[in-house]
Amino acid sequence: MKDKIFFLIIFLLSVNFFNSQTKDETQKWIKETYEKHRRPENLKNWVEFVNGELVYSSSPRYFERIKISDINKISVKKDLLNDSLGKLSWYSIKLFCKNTDCVKREYVDGKTDKIEEISIILDLSFEEDGLSKRMEKALLHLIKLYGGNASLKKETF
């Protein structure tokens, strides 16, 4: 009887393990989702995964990088800006870490700055199909796969 229970527990644990997405599959989904929902104004921007780091280019002059295992907070939310042209809105994925030493902005001229966060901008089409919650889950899963531990950064009110 004890043997049957033991094997049942091992089986149930292994089913969850084998159904889980791999690093490559998770990174591919995040990248494809970003590319599909990139704002039309940002078609030259890109996201890559290189040697355990997420690299984001939002400008031809620089790119930003963060070690995935160092990410400790993520935020996926709709942002709104009221300006003289009216209301602008988009989705942003913000990635934070414990200190500013782990987020770097590297310029094409070789200069490097330390910044507080990476903010990846997406089009409002990202609202479709509950993608914000799926992106949160994918990022948390990827961080765990790299040995890190992150939580969601939520607004107080």
Side-chain angles (χ1 to χ4, degrees), residues 8 19 26 30 33 40 42 58 66 71 98 102 118 126 129:
L8 179 62
N19 286 333
T26 305
I30 291 169
T33 302
N42 305 119
S58 61
I66 187 169
I71 299 169
K98 295 177 185 104
C102 68
I118 289 181
F126 185 70
D129 302 325

Side-chain angles (χ1 to χ4, degrees), residues 134-145:
R134 291 177 65 198
M135 183 62 78
E136 289 173 348
K137 282 179 67 176
L139 287 166
L140 290 171
H141 178 68
L142 185 62
I143 293 163
K144 255 185 204 173
L145 289 172

